[in-house]
Amino acid sequence: MHTVKEAAQITGLTEHAVRFYTDKGLVPSVQRNRNNIRMFDEESINWLHGIKCLKQSGMPIEVIKTYIDLCLEGDSTIPQRSALMMEHKEAALVKLEEAKQHVAHLEQKTALYQAILEHRSPDTTNPGNWDKIRHMHSDVFYSSDAKK
């Protein structure tokens, strides 16, 4: 049996995370000794490893709880668990596409900054200067009619 500190060391989680996960009911096999101190057997350590993997994938705690509850119901829930993983995968792919768009935008911005640093372009990044350069970027500024 392992203490919270030992469980944290074994899993690479913080002691706070171990306590948090047990308080949320995510470690069904956790036990308590006569002093009400959490004690973790190998199954509990396995649950913590599983929680860590799911959390690192971006899965919300509520969904992890659903997954664990399904696991506890047994093999009959394999189709639901599979569907849950597919939904999570699809959500992760959406986030990945968003991240790619963010990176593309940042690549444009860093190229612009490089041009500014090399004096090939005026500083168009500072909103304090936009009145001076409005003519250069009329497509991104509101028309005078929109201000009224």
Side-chain angles (χ1 to χ4, degrees):
M1 297 296 279
H2 305 283
T3 64
V4 168
K5 183 175 186 172
E6 292 166 341
Q9 290 171 339
I10 292 166
T11 60
L13 294 166
T14 64
E15 291 177 41
H16 174 79
V18 170
R19 286 187 193 95
F20 178 78
Y21 294 151
T22 57
D23 289 346
K24 290 290 184 182
L26 302 180
V27 186
S29 58
V30 70
Q31 300 170 33
R32 295 201 179 245
N33 68 13
R34 65 178 168 264
N35 296 323
N36 205 32
I37 295 172
R38 295 172 186 91
M39 299 302 293
F40 300 84
D41 60 10
E42 292 311 309
E43 182 180 334
S44 299
I45 297 297
N46 290 341
W47 283 111
L48 288 169
H49 280 299
I51 294 162
K52 180 180 176 183
C53 290
L54 294 173
K55 192 68 183 131
Q56 286 176 335
S57 76
M59 187 176 282
I61 293 293
E62 300 78 30
V63 180
I64 294 173
K65 177 67 171 132
T66 299
Y67 178 79
I68 289 169
D69 290 344
L70 288 170
C71 287
L72 292 173
E73 289 181 38
D75 290 349
S76 66
T77 64
I78 289 173
Q80 293 100 315
R81 286 185 269 154
S82 175
L84 189 142
M85 288 299 165
M86 290 300 292
E87 289 172 19
H88 182 58
K89 175 185 162 189
E90 291 302 317
L93 288 170
V94 168
K95 288 179 183 177
L96 176 61
E97 287 306 311
E98 290 172 354
K100 287 179 181 179
Q101 291 174 0
H102 294 313
V103 169
H105 177 74
L106 290 169
E107 285 173 346
Q108 291 173 345
K109 286 294 186 189
T110 54
L112 174 60
Y113 272 104
Q114 191 60 41
I116 294 166
L117 289 168
E118 294 171 359
H119 306 291
R120 295 182 285 114
S121 177
D123 181 4
T124 57
T125 63
N126 185 341
N129 296 335
W130 286 354
D131 283 344
K132 300 173 197 158
I133 60 167
R134 185 177 296 261
H135 66 282
M136 295 174 67
H137 298 285
S138 59
D139 59 322
V140 296
F141 291 102
Y142 292 112
S143 68
S144 20
D145 294 339
K147 289 183 182 177
K148 293 178 184 172

